């Protein structure tokens, strides 16, 4: 299996621009998670989906952030407009929930820099 | 709600020495416990997990962790470290029932010196 795939790996943009991060989960997994990692706040969950349905988006910082999962093999995290404080590494993870198989597998991350 | 505390932000150790990375958690419900490792500029990789059963769980790369329910701890240990173990280590919990999201500790940076 190719593992969780994220694109782009690096993104540099200017304040005010729209940023779209993409994730392809492991085939057969039914849960998908978006995390953000910063020096100040560490790793924090932004949103997670189960069977393509958003279950908990309480970690989404504000309305500038939105996430979608149109099908089982693709998800996007969009920031519009972006701000310098959004600079972070964004990780996508997937898992097969139920029956003690709750291990989350992480992608390599997207390193975002907003100037 | 759950919380995870990793008691040491940095741990320097000499090569071939033993190491223990400490993790304590707080939760009002039953939880699963995990250790993840993050090598420089990479994603997180599962090191080991505790779902149920034995209190001593063995993971990859010679690491093991001991679950202590009474002390709500899940410390990570390795009897002899290598230079290649230099990385950041994260302890995490998730609820057994209900939400599957991981709550992470702040991480411990393990540095192995020759």
């Amino acid at each position: 299996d190719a593992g969780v795939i994220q694109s782009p790996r690096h993104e540099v943009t200017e304040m005010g621009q729209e940023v779209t991060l993409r994730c392809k989960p492991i085939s057969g997994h039914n849960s998908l998670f978006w995390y953000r990692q910063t020096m100040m706040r560490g790793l924090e969950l932004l949103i997670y989906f189960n069977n393509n349905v958003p279950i908990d988006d309480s970690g989404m910082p504000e309305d500038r952030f939105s996430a979608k999962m149109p099908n089982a093999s693709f998800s996007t995290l969009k920031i519009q407009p972006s701000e310098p404080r959004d600079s972070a590494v964004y990780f996508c993870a997937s898992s097969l929930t139920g029956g003690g198989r709750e291990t989350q597998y992480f992608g390599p991350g997207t390193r975002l820099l907003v100037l | 709600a759950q919380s995870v505390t990793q008691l040491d932000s940095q741990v320097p150790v000499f090569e071939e020495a033993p190491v223990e990375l400490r993790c304590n958690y707080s939760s009002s419900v039953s939880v699963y416990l995990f250790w993840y490792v993050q090598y420089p500029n990479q994603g997180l990789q599962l090191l080991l997990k505790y779902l149920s059963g034995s209190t001593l769980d063995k993971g990859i790369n010679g690491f093991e962790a001991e679950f202590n329910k009474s002390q709500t701890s899940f410390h990570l240990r390795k009897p002899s470290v290598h230079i290649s173990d230099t990385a950041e280590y994260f302890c995490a919990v998730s609820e057994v029932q209900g939400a599957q999201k991981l709550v992470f500790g702040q991480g411990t940076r393990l540095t192995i010196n020759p």
Side-chain angles (χ1 to χ4, degrees):
Chain A
D1 199 314
V4 176
I5 299 172
Q6 291 187 247
S7 65
R9 293 293 308 276
H10 302 272
E11 177 81 25
V12 180
T13 190
E14 293 187 345
M15 183 174 64
Q17 296 298 306
E18 177 179 296
V19 175
T20 300
L21 311 181
R22 297 173 177 80
C23 175
K24 177 179 170 57
I26 292 173
S27 177
H29 282 188
N30 59 357
S31 291
L32 184 140
F33 307 79
W34 282 101
Y35 291 90
R36 179 172 66 175
Q37 184 179 34
T38 61
M39 289 292 292
M40 292 297 293
R41 300 173 67 88
L43 275 159
E44 50 183 350
L45 178 72
L46 299 177
I47 185 171
Y48 83 94
F49 297 84
N50 184 251
N51 294 322
N52 310 339
V53 176
I55 302 299
D56 183 352
D57 65 354
S58 59
M60 297 285 263
E62 49 199 273
D63 292 345
R64 298 185 297 107
F65 285 70
S66 63
K68 294 182 180 179
M69 192 164 185
N71 57 61
S73 59
F74 184 66
S75 176
T76 59
L77 177 67
K78 186 177 293 185
I79 308 172
Q80 166 64 16
S82 58
E83 296 183 2
R85 59 193 169 120
D86 302 330
S87 298
V89 182
Y90 292 80
F91 289 105
C92 176
S94 71
S95 71
L96 178 59
T97 57
R101 296 168 290 180
E102 283 71 13
T103 302
Q104 292 182 26
Y105 296 87
F106 283 73
T110 296
R111 190 173 296 272
L112 173 65
L113 177 61
V114 182
L115 302 174
Chain B
Q2 297 81 45
S3 66
V4 178
T5 302
Q6 291 184 242
L7 297 162
D8 306 296
S9 60
Q10 297 187 59
V11 174
V13 181
F14 286 109
E15 195 172 16
E16 297 184 8
V19 70
E20 178 180 83
L21 306 183
R22 296 180 292 170
C23 172
N24 287 91
Y25 68 94
S26 172
S27 177
S28 57
V29 299
S30 296
V31 294
Y32 297 130
L33 297 149
F34 305 84
W35 275 100
Y36 281 86
V37 58
Q38 184 178 30
Y39 298 104
N41 298 314
Q42 294 188 28
L44 279 76
Q45 178 182 353
L46 181 68
L47 201 55
L48 52 78
K49 62 186 176 184
Y50 174 83
L51 301 182
S52 65
S54 171
T55 57
L56 186 61
D57 190 43
K58 292 188 181 296
I60 61 172
N61 299 343
F63 282 93
E64 59 187 27
E66 185 166 9
F67 171 59
N68 188 317
K69 188 174 183 179
S70 63
Q71 297 185 3
T72 60
S73 68
F74 191 54
H75 301 332
L76 181 69
R77 301 186 179 110
K78 186 170 182 178
S80 176
V81 295
H82 301 117
I83 292 285
S84 59
D85 293 324
T86 295
E88 186 135 18
Y89 292 79
F90 293 92
C91 182
V93 301
S94 69
E95 291 180 7
V96 171
Q97 302 289 341
Q100 299 298 322
K101 60 184 180 181
L102 285 169
V103 175
F104 286 90
Q106 284 296 98
T108 297
R109 185 172 300 278
L110 177 63
T111 303
I112 310 301
N113 299 306

